[in-house]
Amino acid sequence: MKLSVEQAGRAQIAKLAGDMDLHEGGQLSDQLRAFVTPATPHLIVDLSDLEFIGSTGITALVTAHHAAREYGGSVQIVAPASHIEELLRLARIDEFIPIRKNRADALATTTD
Amino acid sequence: MTSARTDGAAMQVPSDFGVSEADLSEMVVPNDLRAAKHPEECIMRELARYKYGRECCFAVRLAIEEALTNAIKHGNNNDSAKSLCIWFHVSEKRVVVGVADEGSGFTPKAVPDPTADENLERPNGRGIMLMQAYMTKVCYNQTGNEVWLLKRNTPPGRTPDSSKRPKR
């Protein structure tokens, strides 16, 4: 899996692409949490090119959500593939981590 | 092929899974997430050989990874000296996978529902729910240190086992 990150104002945009391997989910928690800081309390996770995620990947998203909330920020998910969106909605993750169609929609909520 | 688990107990493929012990291939791997990738890849290659659809392949891979992760982290307590035993059978009609660890077991029904309102924002605890949602059947042995997964092949375009998803 490839992980890239870029800053946009008070948000970090993390793009996950490819396949999240069995052992990668655990590392991802630390990586996503590190992107959330007092200066960048918002994390936008672009899943548009991610082909597989399991519960360890969901753990990473939830962990980042808790970190963002401590700084008054948020985590949002952008453009997951339909089968991944289905999994996230099944786990009710979308009820506290919004799923947006594109980065622009996500960024619009971070200009506070 | 031996039908014994690494701890010496006899493995028990559920009788309603449509396979017998003789139908199963067996692999023993060290208790390590990277090592566990090998049996997963073998099983997924078999799904490709039988031309399983994308939805089925995603569902099977998801359930296998949840079962392996639970066995490694919780069953074997991340102990690198321990092992996992994996059994599998793939045909055009069904996929059957068994995963056994060397732990003392647990009670699956005692695991909190991760989709309950009070548990939604917990970081962990979704593996069993995902296995149950995406597989045709999930069975644990009485001790709770062996899990069996059944996935019946479904035609492309139909969401598999969607009737089993937790209701919101």
Side-chain angles (χ1 to χ4, degrees):
Chain A
M1 184 188 69
K2 288 184 181 173
L3 170 62
S4 59
V5 64
E6 60 184 274
Q7 186 171 343
R10 298 187 73 226
Q12 295 276 21
I13 304 175
K15 184 174 173 74
L16 310 181
D19 229 28
M20 190 179 302
D21 257 350
L22 197 54
H23 63 278
E24 288 178 313
Q27 300 165 8
L28 187 62
S29 279
D30 292 338
Q31 290 170 314
L32 292 186
R33 193 167 42 204
F35 295 148
V36 177
T37 69
T40 55
H42 301 289
L43 179 64
I44 294 168
V45 186
D46 184 343
L47 298 185
S48 56
D49 287 330
L50 187 70
E51 293 166 15
F52 183 85
I53 190 171
S55 66
T56 53
I58 295 176
T59 294
L61 294 170
V62 175
T63 301
H65 159 76
H66 288 299
R69 201 163 58 181
E70 282 188 21
Y71 294 127
S74 65
V75 175
Q76 299 176 81
I77 294 166
V78 167
S82 59
H83 62 286
I84 291 183
E85 181 168 352
E86 182 183 12
L87 185 153
L88 294 172
R89 292 191 185 278
L90 173 73
R92 299 181 67 188
I93 301 304
D94 60 306
E95 294 188 22
F96 58 98
I97 299 178
I99 298 175
R100 309 290 187 198
K101 288 185 180 173
N102 52 58
R103 290 188 181 191
D105 287 353
L107 282 169
T109 70
T110 65
T111 52
D112 51 3
Chain B
M1 184 203 77
T2 177
S3 62
R5 296 153 43 97
T6 51
D7 59 3
M11 65 86 151
Q12 298 171 337
V13 58
S15 57
D16 59 346
F17 272 34
V19 299
S20 66
E21 286 179 17
D23 298 323
L24 296 165
S25 300
E26 179 187 279
M27 301 179 79
V28 178
V29 298
N31 194 53
D32 173 78
L33 287 170
R34 286 179 198 266
K37 194 72 184 162
H38 179 54
E40 176 189 317
E41 288 173 343
C42 288
I43 295 166
M44 298 312 296
R45 274 198 294 272
E46 287 297 293
L47 266 73
R49 193 159 74 87
Y50 283 99
K51 297 184 172 35
Y52 274 67
R54 265 181 61 172
E55 287 177 353
C56 266
C57 289
F58 176 81
V60 170
R61 180 180 169 185
L62 178 68
I64 289 173
E65 292 206 358
E66 299 305 330
L68 291 171
T69 300
N70 283 347
I72 290 168
K73 289 186 177 178
H74 304 299
N76 280 345
N77 209 27
N78 284 316
D79 185 346
S80 57
K82 293 191 173 171
S83 301
L84 301 177
C85 202
I86 294 110
W87 300 274
F88 64 94
H89 166 82
V90 181
S91 71
E92 61 182 18
K93 287 186 178 178
R94 63 176 60 86
V95 180
V96 175
V97 178
V99 177
D101 58 65
E102 297 186 67
S104 56
F106 77 113
T107 306
K109 288 183 180 176
V111 174
D113 177 4
T115 63
D117 289 346
E118 65 272 19
N119 298 326
L120 279 189
E121 297 191 30
R122 288 192 181 184
N124 299 304
R126 295 176 181 84
I128 294 175
M129 179 276 291
L130 290 175
M131 284 193 284
Q132 289 171 335
Y134 280 83
M135 291 291 98
T136 310
K137 280 190 181 178
V138 176
C139 289
Y140 284 88
N141 67 348
Q142 198 162 6
T143 307
N145 54 10
E146 185 175 299
V147 64
W148 287 89
L149 311 171
L150 167 68
K151 181 66 173 174
R152 291 202 183 96
N153 197 359
T154 51
R158 181 178 145 210
T159 304
D161 303 304
S162 55
S163 63
K164 297 173 73 244
R165 307 293 167 85
K167 299 289 190 289
R168 295 170 59 166

